Amino acid sequence: MFVTRVCSETAGGLPGLLLTLAGIGEEGMSINIWGPSDLNYLVDAMRSFIPNAAMVHTHSFGATQGGITNFSGPEVGKSTDPIVLIDDEVVRISAIPLRPRSSKNTMSLDSETGSALKPGEIAVIYACELPEIKGKFDPDKAASLGLRPGPKYRELQLGNSVMSDRLNIMVHPSDVLGPSSPGPIVLLVDCPTPLHIYELLSIQSLNPYYTDSADRPREHLKTVNCIIHLGPSSVTRSIDYQRWMKRFGGAQHIMAGHEIRNMEIPILKSSSRISSQLNYLCPQFFPAPGFWSLHQINNFSFESNESCEDSSTLCESISAENLLKFHLRPYSQLGLDRSVIPCSLNYKEIVDELLSEIPEIADVSKCISQFWQSPLESKHMMPQKDENIIMVEEPWMNENSLISKQGAGASKKDLPCLSDSWTEMLKHNPDIPACLENVTREDMEIILLGTGSSQPSKYRNVSSIFVNLFSRGSLLLDCGEGTLAQLKRRFGVKGADEAVKSLKFIWISHIHADHHTGLARILALRCQLLKGVPHEPLLVIGPRPLKRFLDAYSRLEDLDMQFLDCRHTTEASMDAFLNSRDSAEDCSSEHSDNSINRNVGVETVTTRRLETNLFAQSSQTQSYWKRPGSPVDAVMALPVLMRLKEVLPAAGLEALYSVPVVHCPQAFGVVLKATERVNSVGKVIPGWKLVYSGDTRPCQALIDASHGATVLIHEATFEDSMGDEAIARNHSTTGEAVGVGTSADAYRIILTHFSQRYPKIPVFDENHMHKTCIAFDLMSVNLADLPVLPKVLPYLKVLFRNEIIVDESDDVQESVLY
């Protein structure tokens, strides 16, 4: 494998790929990865959660931060020859490092500023050259030179001379072979920023590939067949870059970097098809995806001020498309191949196909829509009898009907007051929690970005939950591989950027890869998006092993984050901290005349009291914190705890607690409590309570923490018949997950983290699902719609009634990943 830059943007999928290979690879399997500078830092950062990491061998080249190179040669940017990585009878692969320069007339950026380059700032141009194609063998010429058919024919074709069988002469390949054809050449160019263009224009290593090189004889020039450009449009459309492209003559240019138009065609067609079907069935819980419309793509404004406005000045090129191929062999097929490019998904065609397969789905959709209609407007519409539809008939009174009809974009001032009808509604629905009184659609929404376990599949991504707090920001609970891609599918490209910028904190349940390998990409993107804008580092709350990964990874690129160990956010620890903080503030106020800065005094007293409370001899916390493998670092965490105390109210939250659960060492669930509200008549309305289990067996600690939860999101990896498997892997079955929610008297339960053996919908017993719903990728659950949530599930079964559960197979991969 080859990477053009060592950063999350180019290597973010590497952990998942290595984990899959570790699961299916045979003993002695070797994986070689080439890349610029400190590539080994990337793999070292992943060793804490990738088994069999010894099978991975890194090959770094170019200058490193320490000034050491793995290849001897001239200074980067001055080399007359590329760095040869592989050279055999199949292919020759060379690398040309590319560093940013601040201007056309200066040296590299690090030498000018005195600061070391981050490895992610060093890019690479790869040159892939196939050997020349030998001319056609002429058996008549071979016979005339005294050769008999046999092994000597093969030797000549391989380029070796042989002795004639009948004549006392040597026969050379040129005697029996037609003229050779040059082998195809492909360049892969990653020019990520305008600062890299200056180096690109001056690199001497590229001279042999230019058709206009005056300093080399024509016979020494190499003809490039294809160039794949990975730079963003803001770079590749600049005048300098376009002129540089034209130096390659008739080479085919494929623009494959940051092409917005590719968002129109989702690569995961199966998942997109189901999303479209679910959107037709219930748009309230399954909004339309945020793909760019063709109109938006055509009107996309490029960021570069130096972009080529005149299309005539642009070098002829094509936009890359998913699964586009460029054939190198056989020579007769040299060129582009569009045969497997996925067609654009057409929503209308998908719906028409669905209606033809399941005609009654139209009536089912109408039935679901009735849940968002006021009882005064129409009576509840019951579906036609169908053995696949199981209804739980109960009085329905939708306190949010008027809100729902305003749409997700409605603001609070547009929403009608429902306080007058609340008492009447509770008569019919006494189980509705008080926190939903006068709730608006801008209070909170849960978006399930990934609902599968172990590894991504074509229907379900791995764990990630986006909690949208609207004007108060957003949160991420777990951040598995592909989280950013899912945000783009849900919100669109620019919407995903806004979602990332709005994050208040990210909470990670445990160190298993399907829960955190998307984290570095999110953090690096946020840092990039907020560059030059005043902002605070993002809080990341997770188990201590995660900090080791992030610290190691931060040597590669700036993550702009503060880490807080989950153990410092347990209820006992948080209460101790808050009590100490309050006591310190009281103490500081008593000595307010002291000339010492008040904040310093507060921190000093807080530190002393926190140490006393947390580690007192009689404290039950002491043995937990001081057990082997758990260093006592409460004092180090104090500034971050103070920061968390500031972040929570800004997000409209009263509390965050991490709950130790039964899965792997340092695995946690989380409790989020919203701040109470006061309605227009002065009545205090309690805040909602959201609990997420992470991965766990049913455990009393989580039940206690979930007591009275408004929403409990609980893992349900296995069906009920696989209880032994669940115990062996420290997971829960669907029945056990529902049991936890029932024991905790949670208002609503959302089941997630399903084994990928259930590709579309898991097995469950609908008799126990009266307050429960199955999660699907990109499902969006607004706080205002919670009363409707379990009522939709029976209807969803109609969509999947013909699905057959995949047979159980070898679970080596799953055991590796979770």
Side-chain angles (χ1 to χ4, degrees), residues 8 28 61 63 78 115 135 171 211 283 385 509 547 592 608 708 727 772 799:
S8 59
F61 51 84
K78 300 298 182 181
S115 61
V171 181
T211 58
K385 290 185 178 180
S509 61
K547 184 178 187 300
S592 57
R608 186 165 57 250
I727 293 173
T772 306
L799 180 61

Side-chain angles (χ1 to χ4, degrees), residues 5 31 84 86 167 190 212-213 302 353 386 396-397 426 441 463 483 583 605 662 694 696 698 714 759 768:
R5 280 178 289 137
I31 301 170
V84 178
I86 294 178
L167 304 175
D190 189 355
D212 60 357
S213 290
F302 296 95
E353 179 184 344
D386 191 297
W396 172 245
M397 211 225 345
L426 286 178
R441 303 198 71 82
S463 297
T483 292
S583 299
V605 177
V662 181
T696 182
H714 200 290
H768 304 298

